[in-house]
Amino acid sequence: MADGPDMPETLRDAFLASLDWWEEAGVGEHVSDRAGGWLRTADTSAEAAVAVSENAAPPPVQEPARKPAHARFIETEPLGNHPGDPAQWPGDLAAFQKWWMESDLVDPAGAFPRIAPSGGTKAPVMVIIDQPAGDALLEGAAAKLLDNMLRAMAFAPEAAYRASILPRHTLRPEWNAIEQAGYGKLLLHQIALAQPACILGIGNRVWSLLAHETAQEPAALTKIAMDSGTIPVFAIPDLATMLRNPRSRAETWNRWLDWSDRP
């Protein structure tokens, strides 16, 4: 078939004609779906490394290491080690109770408020729990049970000195770390200032802390020796256990009758 007047005569003319056609269609450069660098270099190995890095999975996100719940009891913080140097603890009960609520040495800030110990010196009984319930030393059924027990033991509830190992409620405290930090010694210091006639230690955390500080086994905890003399101690289960366990209440009462009849 004879060529028309506008047919290219050579392959070169055909190629140039195709370029002219694409340019008139609005395509003036080579387009590729694959991403490439804006600046080309002769270093093909660098391009290959970029391609590998672009296709590689992103590195895993490193989460900051979490501190254990007890870290605040054993770390050195800007305000110092809690509960501070025993040489700086107040030597008067009223000053101690004020220091307990205000001093930065007692403990670091927390979600719950500090709860002050209550009572004066030479109380007929000193009640010790491990930590406040929240916004009060004891709340609800536990507070009612303790008052009823004190009355049954012939103590006026309002005459009891009430204290806790920790100044505020703390979620999941590590009691071994608390002991190492010196809160047991701080409790003994408070007992020495309060000078109660006897102590009601509630819960095995209180027993073990007092027993360790006085070199006694918790099961044998019946007294602690202070500079001013020996103070009798009656150890009972924690109030939550006694609330849900009638047998525990009965056993505690029978033990109290035996303990209180001792000369």
Side-chain angles (χ1 to χ4, degrees), residues 12 29 142 229 256 258-259:
R12 180 177 180 278
E29 62 184 40
W256 165 258
D258 291 340
W259 186 86

Side-chain angles (χ1 to χ4, degrees), residues 90 93-109 112-118 132 134-137 161-162 164 166-168 186 190:
L93 185 61
F96 178 89
Q97 292 175 345
K98 185 174 185 295
W99 174 84
W100 180 271
M101 294 297 293
E102 298 176 358
S103 174
D104 292 332
L105 295 175
V106 176
D107 81 334
F112 292 89
R114 294 189 196 181
I115 304 300
S118 62
D135 294 334
L137 201 65
Y161 187 99
R162 305 183 186 219
S164 57
L166 299 181
R168 71 175 85 240
L186 182 62
Q190 185 175 184

Side-chain angles (χ1 to χ4, degrees), residues 137-211:
L137 201 65
L138 288 170
E139 298 176 336
K144 184 177 181 180
L145 174 61
L146 176 61
D147 286 350
N148 290 340
M149 289 178 59
L150 290 173
R151 292 189 187 96
M153 293 172 173
F155 297 119
E158 64 275 9
Y161 187 99
R162 305 183 186 219
S164 57
I165 297 172
L166 299 181
R168 71 175 85 240
H169 181 74
T170 304
L171 299 176
R172 298 181 298 276
E174 174 53 57
W175 292 100
N176 288 335
I178 291 169
E179 176 186 321
Q180 294 171 12
Y183 281 83
K185 291 181 175 63
L186 182 62
L187 176 60
L188 289 177
H189 180 76
Q190 185 175 184
I191 293 171
L193 296 178
Q195 302 177 46
C198 68
I199 294 172
L200 189 64
I202 302 178
N204 59 358
R205 291 161 183 161
V206 175
W207 312 344
S208 60
L209 201 61
L210 285 176

